[in-house]
Every structure is written in C-alpha cells, then in structure tokens.
C-alpha cells in the first residue's frame, strides 16, 4: 500500500478520518496509532518488530536519562555552589553514556539491516585484494519500511532529551505515535518530537478548512506523482539501462528527466503526507522550498529534503564542529589564515562528515558515497571562493542582486544538481562516469527523436510540459510568498469547486495508472 | 459538522456525475483494439452470436497459449472460446464472466488454475470495483485517441476473433524439466481472497446453468506438486471438478525441449495441440457438449477455421 494506492486513498484514509472524527477527542490518538501500525503491517508485516524495538529503546532510554537528570537536579539543590560543577559533570557523563548507548543500539539495527550487504561485499573484496583467504558469509535481511527515516527521528528524540531541549515523554502511546504516524513513516519528513508529538496526541477535530486545505495539498501531490513520475519512467529506465546505445544528448535528457522525476516523486509524496497530516490537525515541517530557485548548492540543500539537512546540521555538523579538537584547529588557523578561512577548516571537517553520512544514508553503494562527496566538494569550493568572487564582483561592478546574475546562478546550480543526480541514479559509479563522459565528449542532438521510441509520445511530452509549467508558476508564486491556498479559499464557491473539479478530473484523466501500468515505487521509500 | 458533511456529499455527487459523463465518452464503442478495448482478444466473444459458445475458459496467459478452440471444433464440433487475458486476476475473471455470460449460455466454464495463485492484494478487487463504477478509471488513457464517435456513437460489439481467443506461439525455447512435478506432500497455500473469488465465480456460473471446473494446463515454471495438492484439497472441499494436466504428464507427453515457447512458462503451438487433444477427450467423455458440425447455424465456425487455415501458419 502506497499513498497513491486506490485502497489507501479510497478506503483506508477515509475510514481513518471518519473513525478519528466520530470518536471523542481523548481517543483520537489511539485511532492514529492503531491505523499507523496497520499501515506499517500492510507493507512490512512482521518487520514491525523493529519499529516496536525502536519505540521501546526510545522510551526506556528517555525515561532513564530523565531519571538521572532528576536525581542530578535534586543533588544540585542540596550541595554547595563550589561542588555543583563536579556533580553536573558526573551526572552528565551518565546521561551521555545512556544517550550514546541507545543511539548505538538504534544505529546498529539500521547498519545491520541496511548495510550488511555493502559492508560484507567490500570487506570480502578487500580480503581478496590483500590475498587473505577468508570470505565472509553475507547475511540477507529484509528491511522494514521507513527505517532510515524513523531511526533518525528516534535519535533526534534521545539527543534532545539528553541535551534537555525536551522532557522525556512518560506517555508511551504518544511516543509510539510520534515515531510511527502513518503518513510520514514511509518517506518522512523527519520530524522532531517538539514539532509534531503534541499535535498528534491532541486529536484536533477535522475542520472545513483543514479538510479542504489538506485535500488541496494531497491533490497537488497526486498531480506530481501521477501525471509526471510514472509517465516519464519508461524513458528514464531505457536511457539509464542502455546508455551505451545512445549519445551524450540522450544521456543529458535522461539526466534532466530523472531529476524531474525524483523531485516530482519525493515532493509529491511530501505534499500528500503534509496534506493528510493537515486533515488531522497536525502541522508537519516542509521538506521542499522551491529548490530549483537556489543560487548555490548550499542553498539548494536548505530547500531540498530540508528535514534531512537540518537533522545532519543539528546532530552531526554542529557536534563535530564544536568538538574540542575542531575548536583548537579553528583557534590556531584563525591566527595563521585569518577570520574567514580559519574557522572554515573545522567547518570543512564537519561538512565532510555530514556529506559522507548523507551519501551513505541514501543507500549502500559507492555511487551514493560519490554523490555525497560530490556535494561536499561543491560546497567546499563555494565557501573557499566566496571572498574572491565577492571582490571580483565589486571590482567589475556586477550587481549580484540583479535578476540576470541570479538567473545565471540558478541555472549553474541546477546544472550541478543534474550532474549529481546522474550519479545518484546510474547503476554504479562506473556507469555514472561513463554517462558523464558521453555528455562531455559525445554530445549531439542527432538522436533526440529516439525519445519517442522509448514508450512515450508527443501527447505525453506536451502533458508533462504543461504540468511542469503549471508547477513552475505555482513555485514562483510561493517564492513571492503568495499563499495560493488562501487565495483559492477567498474565491466564491463556484470558482473554488470548479478548480477542485478540474484538478481531480485532470488527475483521473491524465494520470498514469490502471491496467498494464507498472508503478515506480516511491523512490525515497527505498532509502 | 452537519454543514460540512452536507457540503461534502454535494461535492462528491457533482463529481460523480462529471465522472459518469466522462466515462460514457471514454468507454470504447466497440470490442476491438482500434476502438480502445482492453483485452480485446478475450472480449471478442462479445462479437460471437448469442448462445453459440458451449464452453468458455477464463484464466491468464497459460490458458490462451494452451487451449485451441478451433481444434476442439475440428475434432468434436464443440464450440468454445478462451476469454483469457495476460495476468488475469480472479476479480478480472469474475468481471469478464459477468460480461460474457450475459449473451452466452455455456454448458461448462473452465477456470485455468494459474490465476488462482496470482496477486491476492486487496488493491486488485478495489481497483476492479472502481473500474466498474467509473469506467473512466479503466479507460482514462483513451483521451489520446478520442474521436467524434466517442461523444455521439452507440456502443456495439462487432469485433470477432477467428481463433476464438487462442494465442498462437511458434517459438521454441527449451525448458529444464528435471524437477518438473516432483512428488511432494507439501501444500502451497491458496490466498484466502482468491478462494472467495473462485467460489463466487463457481456460484455465478452455476446460476447461469454452466458446470464449473478448474483445469491446470502444463507449465514447468508455474506449476508444482505443492500447488496441485492445495488445489486438489480445495476443489474437493468445494465440490469442484479439478483436472491437473501437469499431473498427466505421461499421458500428454509434452516434449519440454521443443514444445515450449519460453523455457517452460507457456507451451507453444505443438504443445497446445497436445493439451487441447487431452482436453477434447476429457470433454468427450463427459458428454455434456453438442457436436455442432452439421448444424448450418454454426457455419461461421467452419468459415473461421478456413480463415485460420488460409493464413498458412498452422492447422
């Protein structure tokens, strides 16, 4: 069952909404929890055990940290001021140990289930290279849906409890719902406890506004998924699977289409997820903010998969750059290379850790690690060249705020993103490099007509073009901070309903679904 | 809240009416590929004269690759039609049965067993129900080929298939049959939902006066003893006649080195001839079908046979 499955949209979701609203407020969180477990079970069946273990670890470790912190506070009240620091350090060491241990437990589960194959294969290759006559047996595990997402949520909860940003939740039900809420379990967004737990537990009644706004958002997401993602899929499969048969021009088309597909797929699911949550009165964090309007790669990553970016920022980048070692490096470097480049060294070290993890988080293959390193290098170059570029702009009197300059930056960033996604989708690093080589050394427009032999026709291309233009216009309006949904809500009922009907009919009529259609699995659900 | 529910109901009603109107436009106006009909080979039965088909077969590609109605006609004068479609699920079989049994009164309906082990996900029947209520869901892709006739034309079924649903496969790709039908006491569970659909189909056929039987045609890749055991047990429980042609391998003697089109998935034409021969003998023994060879009302069967013979490919 996926979010665009007719069973989900026409049966599961309406039934959950109905039961949720019929029951008294105090029981509504229970409806959400039971439906979340049912949803999880429908996809991963017995593997739900991993979700339950994660919830258990969160609960026990959270309560334990809370207890130790409580004991510390009592102790601090009793003792003299001069001993307070010592007591604090003693108890903090204990809470840190619990947080570290539980995080290791959570990460171990993720690593064993997700990376056993990758690690085993690479270790065996290394043994082979070193001529060590040992071959490890590589176990195969089935992965529960969303493990990469809910594990990060669980870690953020425990770290936040440890850092006393939040209190450990004594209510196991609320904690279980926070980690398993069915719309977000498959592809996120990666929520913080302080973002959603309370809203989920409160069980706000569905209102006219939440229902219509949520439905609009769901329809918008479905438009992206059903009108574009599966329609262009045959072309992408053909190009990426048989790239040796094509020249660089066709490979470039495949690269652009895959980036479009990935964006439409992931942001489409996010629209559906956020829309569903809205119907239940829960405000989920946004995961996309018009990423293709970014002027730099750093900015791109603050607009694309935002919740993953902020997670890495808060739980890897800051902790690494604030380690004593990094602070020492910064202090020394400041003296030698100044106030801009000095702190940059520690920042680059932290960035390296972030992007290595980011690459690995996406999958167990070297191409994903390359994808992470590619962005690390781009961001590092951006940071290193920032002062000279600024100086150059001043000297040449180029206005960096002028539209042509910003447009040039956006186009440059988009092209760099395209290249990154080429490696992301390619079947292995070698294929990625070969495909990139084709684009550089063998580019031509000669084979463009072959696209029509790959399972799409002129009507499909026109349709995709129209939808992309429509989504671009909506993105521009959003960028200008125009609240489209509110603008629609302000119109009279005739215009409003006509718009809804047009959107629904467009999805039903032009959607890619039905007999003979093999749907692309939600791309990010596999990470 | 009441106001909200009322608004919601009005909204859905209007939407439903819009979709019904669009469904009427998009519904194919004939049972042919050109008109946009899905599974047109199977649906060509709608172009057969009313009440002239005595045996109908439902199932997936195993059925349409293995059973040759014109051979049954040639050997025994039996009239049959294979309403099988690629990957036909049981909800699809039920749906096609509902359409085809409207103007045909077969004496026997056969369900090919492979379909009983196809997808049993709840989404299959849900989609099927949606397609039935709103055909736009099934035929939405026809927006690309709409013509004026789709807006003003009547629905008619004039498309006919001289091969009566059989799909000719000539390729030879040998199969490894070393482990084919190795005896076993184990059972491969039949999906619960599929059992429900088989019962539904059986009841509906019997209501329409047709005997219902399950036949498993030979396939190295798709059949084994575990499935045989499970289906035998189920058929006994439900009082359904079950013939497993895989179990009769010594009698039918498919040569898997030559008589399969795709490494044991489907039999090719020589294999299908052997399967149909056995099926014909079985039907003959049952003595429930009439020989229509001398009936002038069935002359079109002779014409269809001549059409296929004239293609020169086979028969």
């Amino acid at each position: 069952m996926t979010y665009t499955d007719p069973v989900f949209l026409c049966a599961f979701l309406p039934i959950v909404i109905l039961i949720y609203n019929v029951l008294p407020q105090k029981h509504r969180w229970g409806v959400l929890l039971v439906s979340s477990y049912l949803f999880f079970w429908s996809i991963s069946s017995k593997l739900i055990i991993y979700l339950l273990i994660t919830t258990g670890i969160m609960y026990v470790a959270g309560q334990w940290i809370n207890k130790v912190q409580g004991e510390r506070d009592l102790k601090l009240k009793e003792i003299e001021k001069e001993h307070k620091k010592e007591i604090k350090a003693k108890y903090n060491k204990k809470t840190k140990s619990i947080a570290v241990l539980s995080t290791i437990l959570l990460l171990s589960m993720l690593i064993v289930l997700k990376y056993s194959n990758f690690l085993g294969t690479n270790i065996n290759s290394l043994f082979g290279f070193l001529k060590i006559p040992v071959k490890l047996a590589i176990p195969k595990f089935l992965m529960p849906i969303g493990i990469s997402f809910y594990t990060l949520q669980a870690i953020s909860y425990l770290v936040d409890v440890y850092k006393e940003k939040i209190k450990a939740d004594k209510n196991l039900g609320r904690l279980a719902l926070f980690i398993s809420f069915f719309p977000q379990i498959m592809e996120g967004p990666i929520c913080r406890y302080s973002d959603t737990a309370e809203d989920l537990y409160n069980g706000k009644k569905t209102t006219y506004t939440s229902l219509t706004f949520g439905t609009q958002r769901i329809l918008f997401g479905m438009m992206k998924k059903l009108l574009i993602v599966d329609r262009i899929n045959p072309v992408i499969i053909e190009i990426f699977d048989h790239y040796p048969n094509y020249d660089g021009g066709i490979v470039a088309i495949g690269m652009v289409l895959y980036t479009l597909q990935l964006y439409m797929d992931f942001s489409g699911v996010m629209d559906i997820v956020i829309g569903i949550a809205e119907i239940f009165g829960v405000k989920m964090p946004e995961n996309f903010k018009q990423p293709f309007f970014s002027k730099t790669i750093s900015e791109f990553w603050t607009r694309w998969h935002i919740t993953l970016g902020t997670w890495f920022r808060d739980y890897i980048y800051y902790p690494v750059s604030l380690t004593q070692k990094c602070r020492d490096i910064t202090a020394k470097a400041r003296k030698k290379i100044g106030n801009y480049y000095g702190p940059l060294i520690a920042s680059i070290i932290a960035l390296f850790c972030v992007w290595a993890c980011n690459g690995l988080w996406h999958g167990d293959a070297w191409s994903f690690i390359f994808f992470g390193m590619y962005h690390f290098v781009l961001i590092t170059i951006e940071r290193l060249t920032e002062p000279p570029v600024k100086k150059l702009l001043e000297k040449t009197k180029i206005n960096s705020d002028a539209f042509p300059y910003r447009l040039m930056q956006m186009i440059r960033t988009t092209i760099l993103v395209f290249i990154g996604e080429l490696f992301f989708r390619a079947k292995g690093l070698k294929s990625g490099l070969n495909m990139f080589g084709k684009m550089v050394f063998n580019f031509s427009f000669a084979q463009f007509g072959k696209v029509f032999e790959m399972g799409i026709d002129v009507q499909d291309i026109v349709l995709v073009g129209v939808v992309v233009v429509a989504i671009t216009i909506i993105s521009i309006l959003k960028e200008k901070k125009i609240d489209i949904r509110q603008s629609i809500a302000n119109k009279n009922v005739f215009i409003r309903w006509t718009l809804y009907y047009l959107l629904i009919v467009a999805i039903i009529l032009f959607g890619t679904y039905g007999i003979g259609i093999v749907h692309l699995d939600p791309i990010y659900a596999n990470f | 809240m009441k106001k909200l529910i009322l608004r919601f109901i009005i909204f859905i009603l209007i939407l439903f009416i819009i979709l019904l109107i669009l469904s009427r436009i998009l519904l194919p106006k004939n049972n042919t590929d050109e008109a946009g009909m899905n599974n047109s080979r199977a649906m060509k039965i709608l172009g057969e004269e009313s009440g002239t088909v005595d045996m109908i077969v439902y199932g997936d590609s195993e059925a349409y690759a293995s059973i040759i109605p014109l051979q049954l006609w040639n050997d025994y004068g039996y009239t049959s039609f294979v309403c099988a479609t690629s990957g036909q699920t049981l909800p699809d079989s039920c749906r096609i049965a509902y359409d085809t049994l409207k103007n045909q009164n077969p004496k026997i309906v056969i369900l090919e067993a492979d379909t009983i082990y196809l997808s049993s996900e709840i989404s299959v029947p849900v989609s099927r129900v949606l397609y039935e209520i709103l055909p736009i869901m099934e035929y939405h892709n026809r927006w690309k080929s709409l013509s004026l006739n789709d807006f003003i034309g009547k629905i008619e079924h004039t498309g006919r298939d001289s091969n009566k649903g059989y799909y000719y496969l000539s390729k030879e790709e040998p199969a490894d049959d070393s482990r084919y039908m190795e005896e076993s006491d184990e059972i491969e569970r039949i999906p619960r939902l599929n059992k429900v659909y088989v019962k539904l189909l059986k009841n509906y056929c019997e209501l329409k006066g047709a005997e219902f039987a399950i036949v498993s045609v030979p396939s190295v890749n798709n059949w084994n003893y575990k499935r045989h055991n499970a289906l035998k047990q189920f058929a006994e429980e439900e009082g359904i006649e079950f013939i497993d042609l895989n179990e009769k391998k010594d009698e039918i003697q498919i040569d898997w080195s030559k008589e399969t089109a795709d490494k044991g998935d489907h039999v090719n034409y020589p294999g299908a001839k052997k399967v149909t021969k056995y099926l014909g003998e079985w039907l003959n023994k049952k003595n429930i079908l009439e020989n229509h060879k001398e009936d002038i009302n069935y002359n079109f069967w002779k014409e269809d046979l001549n059409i296929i013979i004239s293609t020169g490919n086979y028969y």
Side-chain angles (χ1 to χ4, degrees):
Chain A
M1 190 155 54
T2 61
Y3 300 126
T4 50
D5 193 320
V7 179
F8 180 81
L9 288 168
C10 303
F12 184 84
L13 185 61
I15 291 170
V16 175
I17 295 172
L18 192 72
I19 299 173
Y20 176 87
N21 282 288
V22 166
L23 286 181
Q25 190 169 7
K26 62 178 178 178
H27 297 310
R28 285 184 192 145
W29 69 269
V31 176
L32 294 183
L33 183 62
V34 170
S35 32
S36 297
Y37 282 165
L38 276 175
F39 182 78
F40 196 97
W41 179 271
S42 76
I43 301 169
S44 292
S45 62
K46 287 171 190 165
L47 301 181
I48 198 169
I49 189 73
Y50 294 115
L51 179 69
L52 297 176
I53 292 171
T54 301
T55 312
I57 293 172
M58 284 168 74
Y59 185 75
V60 173
Q63 291 307 309
W64 196 2
I65 293 171
N66 211 19
K67 192 177 161 234
V68 175
Q69 284 167 345
E71 286 168 7
R72 177 201 62 194
D73 292 344
L74 277 177
K75 199 98 180 170
L76 286 175
K77 277 181 192 167
E78 290 165 6
I79 57 156
E80 298 295 317
K81 204 177 175 184
E82 58 264 29
H83 298 297
K84 280 192 175 176
K85 208 174 172 183
E86 187 190 324
I87 291 293
K88 259 187 190 174
K90 185 184 155 200
Y91 278 92
N92 285 354
K93 200 178 167 189
K94 206 170 174 184
T95 54
K96 193 176 183 179
S97 305
I98 302 166
V100 168
L101 181 73
S102 48
T103 304
I104 288 172
L105 277 174
L106 292 169
L107 281 176
S108 308
M109 217 164 8
L110 178 67
I111 291 166
V112 168
L113 294 176
K114 191 171 172 179
Y115 302 103
S116 293
N117 186 44
F118 178 67
L119 290 173
T121 311
N122 282 291
I123 291 170
N124 280 341
S125 301
L126 186 68
F127 284 163
F129 180 73
L130 298 172
K131 295 192 174 128
I132 300 171
V134 177
K135 198 167 185 188
L136 299 178
I138 302 168
K140 277 185 184 168
F141 293 102
L142 286 174
M143 246 189 4
I145 195 78
I147 187 168
S148 305
F149 292 91
Y150 71 69
T151 303
L152 295 195
Q153 275 198 197
I155 292 171
S156 76
Y157 167 78
L158 288 171
V159 173
D160 288 353
V161 169
Y162 158 67
K163 290 196 165 174
E164 296 179 68
K165 285 183 186 169
I166 52 170
K167 276 265 171 212
D169 200 336
K170 284 180 182 162
N171 186 328
L172 180 60
R174 180 163 45 205
L175 200 61
L177 180 57
F178 160 70
I179 202 77
S180 66
F181 184 42
F182 70 88
Q184 63 164 101
I185 191 76
M186 219 193 280
E187 294 190 58
I190 300 160
C191 299
R192 306 293 170 84
Y193 180 84
S194 50
D195 286 338
T196 55
E198 209 52 51
D199 277 355
L200 284 167
Y201 193 74
N202 280 346
K204 276 188 209 159
K205 208 176 180 83
T206 303
T207 61
Y208 179 74
T209 311
S210 69
L211 184 68
T212 50
F213 275 38
T215 308
Q216 278 176 38
R217 193 81 196 254
I218 293 170
L219 289 173
F220 187 55
M222 285 185 65
M223 183 177 81
K224 289 178 180 175
K225 283 277 290 174
L226 292 178
L227 268 60
I228 294 192
V229 174
D230 287 316
R231 195 170 295 277
I232 58 177
N233 199 34
V235 182
I236 295 164
I237 290 174
E238 173 60 26
I239 296 173
F240 277 85
D241 285 1
H242 304 109
Y243 73 88
N245 301 342
Y246 301 109
D247 65 21
I250 290 284
V251 172
I253 289 178
M255 175 183 77
V256 172
L257 285 182
Y258 176 65
T259 310
L260 177 70
Q261 184 187 46
L262 189 64
Y263 174 62
M264 293 297 172
D265 182 75
F266 195 17
S267 71
V269 169
M270 284 306 109
D271 289 323
I272 295 170
V273 167
I274 292 168
I276 295 171
E278 208 166 345
I279 293 174
F280 295 112
V282 180
K283 193 167 165 29
M284 289 255 159
E286 292 290 342
N287 233 359
F288 288 90
K289 214 171 128 192
Q290 298 79 256
F292 295 103
F293 293 148
S294 307
K295 296 190 286 297
T296 61
I297 290 290
S298 313
E299 188 189 350
F300 177 82
W301 283 99
T302 61
R303 288 167 173 262
W304 174 289
H305 206 172
I306 299 167
T307 56
L308 181 70
T310 50
W311 195 96
F312 281 128
R313 183 196 64 199
D314 293 347
Y315 302 103
I316 294 185
Y317 181 82
Y318 287 149
V320 171
S321 56
L322 293 175
T323 53
Q324 196 52 50
K325 196 87 189 157
C326 277
R327 277 193 245 176
D328 294 345
I329 292 171
T330 303
K332 280 181 192 168
R334 257 185 214 279
K335 286 176 194 163
K336 288 190 177 170
I337 47 178
N339 279 339
Y340 179 81
Y341 288 108
L344 204 57
I345 294 174
S347 171
I348 288 171
I349 293 168
L351 268 178
F352 177 82
C353 298
V354 164
W355 285 102
C357 292
N358 189 310
L360 266 175
W361 181 88
H362 282 94
D364 57 343
W366 284 105
S367 54
F368 291 118
I369 296 173
F370 179 85
F371 172 80
M373 288 302 107
Y374 171 79
H375 286 98
F376 163 69
V377 170
L378 290 178
I379 292 170
T380 305
I381 292 171
E382 257 174 36
R383 301 251 172 113
L384 290 171
T385 55
E386 203 179 313
V389 168
K390 217 173 177 181
K391 269 185 192 169
L392 188 72
L393 290 174
E394 277 168 13
K395 276 195 177 173
T396 51
K397 291 185 179 161
I398 293 171
N399 180 6
S400 59
D401 292 328
F403 179 71
Y405 187 78
R406 282 189 289 131
L407 184 66
M408 185 274 292
Q409 285 181 304
M410 285 180 212
I411 293 169
R412 178 200 59 189
T413 306
T414 303
I415 291 170
L416 291 172
V417 170
F418 284 159
I419 296 168
E421 300 303 349
L422 173 84
F423 285 97
F424 192 75
R425 171 64 173 78
K427 284 185 164 177
L429 186 54
K430 198 177 162 195
S431 296
L433 290 167
N434 287 339
M435 290 177 86
F436 184 69
K438 279 209 167 217
M439 287 198 303
V440 177
F441 302 111
N442 187 22
F443 186 91
S444 89
F445 296 102
Q447 291 186 324
F448 269 27
K450 287 202 171 183
V451 170
F452 296 110
E453 295 164 16
M454 297 178 186
I456 57 167
D457 52 29
V458 179
Q459 287 141 316
D460 290 318
I461 290 176
V462 170
L463 185 67
V464 169
V466 169
V467 178
V468 169
V469 168
I471 289 171
T472 307
I473 293 168
I474 292 168
S475 301
I476 292 169
L477 294 174
K478 275 186 174 177
E479 195 66 7
K480 289 182 182 293
K481 308 266 184 273
I482 294 169
D483 188 341
I484 302 156
R485 292 193 296 175
Q486 194 54 54
S487 311
I488 295 171
N490 293 339
K491 304 281 182 225
N492 67 48
V493 71
F494 179 75
I495 295 174
R496 267 193 343 252
W497 282 28
T498 306
L499 276 173
Y500 297 153
Y501 288 135
L502 281 175
L503 191 55
I504 294 170
V505 167
I507 292 167
I508 292 175
L509 194 58
F510 302 122
T512 320
Y513 63 91
I515 294 168
I517 301 290
V518 180
H519 286 287
L520 176 76
D521 284 338
I523 299 172
Y524 265 75
N526 293 322
F527 294 149
Chain B
M1 193 66 186
K2 272 183 191 166
K3 209 177 156 189
L4 176 66
I5 294 168
L6 188 68
R7 271 192 204 181
F8 182 73
I9 291 170
I10 294 170
F11 182 86
I12 294 293
L13 266 177
I14 296 172
L15 178 65
F16 189 69
I17 292 165
I18 293 170
L19 294 178
L20 278 182
I21 294 167
L22 288 171
S23 292
R24 176 64 183 75
I25 296 167
L26 288 155
L27 207 62
K29 303 299 176 291
N30 208 339
N31 61 333
T32 59
D33 278 337
E34 300 73 40
M37 175 70 90
N38 285 336
N39 303 315
S40 68
R41 191 175 49 248
M43 299 318 286
K44 293 275 171 65
I45 193 175
L46 301 176
E48 293 291 315
E49 273 186 44
S50 198
T52 59
V53 179
D54 286 346
M55 179 177 93
I56 298 179
V57 181
Y58 302 112
D60 62 8
S61 56
E62 294 299 326
Y64 67 58
S66 306
I67 299 167
I68 312 169
L70 284 179
Q71 188 181 329
L72 291 174
W73 165 260
N74 203 28
D75 294 349
Y76 300 97
Y78 296 157
T79 55
S80 59
F81 205 104
V82 181
C83 293
T85 55
S86 182
Q88 187 178 104
T89 58
L90 280 163
D92 291 336
S93 307
C94 290
R95 172 66 187 129
I96 296 174
Y98 179 74
D99 274 345
T100 51
L101 298 184
K102 270 182 194 165
N103 64 346
Q104 297 295 344
N105 310 305
K107 307 271 188 315
I108 183 165
V109 164
I110 288 176
L111 177 69
E112 204 289 315
D114 194 46
T115 191
I116 295 172
Y117 279 99
L118 289 185
S119 173
S120 64
E121 283 177 20
I122 188 77
S123 60
V124 175
V126 169
S127 302
R128 194 65 257 169
V129 169
L130 275 176
Y131 294 168
E132 292 318 311
I133 300 169
L134 297 166
I136 186 178
M137 306 288 275
E138 183 169 3
Y139 287 106
H140 63 100
N141 249 346
R142 290 201 61 240
W143 65 271
K144 290 181 180 177
S145 58
L146 285 178
S147 67
L148 185 64
N149 187 48
D150 286 305
F151 292 87
I152 54 170
K154 278 184 183 172
I155 295 172
E156 52 184 6
H157 298 127
T158 58
R160 292 186 70 252
D161 178 23
S162 298
N163 244 331
K164 314 293 180 191
Y166 167 66
Y167 185 68
Y168 171 68
L169 289 170
S170 61
K171 240 169 82 180
E172 273 182 26
E173 273 194 78
D176 173 12
D177 64 337
S178 55
R179 302 197 62 189
Y180 174 49
M181 290 302 280
E182 271 182 356
E183 291 212 19
S184 161
D185 292 331
E186 286 177 64
I187 274 182
E188 183 176 334
R189 198 179 65 84
I190 300 172
R192 202 175 301 165
L193 195 60
N194 286 358
K195 282 186 177 178
V196 173
Y197 271 100
V198 174
K199 287 182 210 170
L200 267 176
L201 188 60
K202 175 187 178 263
N203 292 341
Y204 185 65
C205 292
E206 287 174 353
L207 189 75
K208 289 282 179 179
E211 195 179 317
F212 181 76
I214 298 173
V215 171
S216 172
V217 298
S219 171
V220 171
N221 298 356
N222 298 308
W223 206 254
N224 53 46
Y225 237 92
K226 291 179 196 171
R227 289 187 172 189
H228 168 85
N229 293 338
L231 204 51
K232 191 179 169 202
Q233 189 185 331
F234 172 66
E236 277 170 10
E237 283 166 12
E238 296 304 320
I240 300 170
E241 187 169 5
F242 169 50
I243 309 292
D244 188 349
L245 303 188
N246 293 277
E247 201 200 11
K248 319 271 181 202
K249 58 181 181 178
D250 295 333
E251 290 165 66
I252 300 174
Q253 290 191 333
I254 301 286
D255 179 352
W256 290 106
S257 66
K258 287 180 191 161
E259 292 169 356
T260 168
D262 40 20
K263 299 177 184 173
D265 200 354
H266 304 92
V267 290
N268 56 18
Y269 177 60
K273 277 208 292 189
K274 288 183 178 174
V275 174
T276 309
K277 184 172 175 278
Y278 186 90
L279 207 61
E281 286 164 8
W282 172 68
L283 287 166
N284 195 31
K285 269 184 217 160
K286 279 183 81 75
N287 199 23
I288 53 167
L289 302 184
E290 271 181 65
N291 182 342
H292 293 292
K293 266 195 170 172
E294 304 308 320
D295 188 340
I296 52 162
N297 292 323
Y298 287 79
N299 275 351
F300 61 94
W301 273 81
K302 290 178 188 167
E303 287 161 22
D304 285 328
L305 181 60
N306 287 334
I307 289 170
I308 296 301
I309 290 171
S310 69
T311 60
N313 289 332
Y314 55 108
Y315 291 111

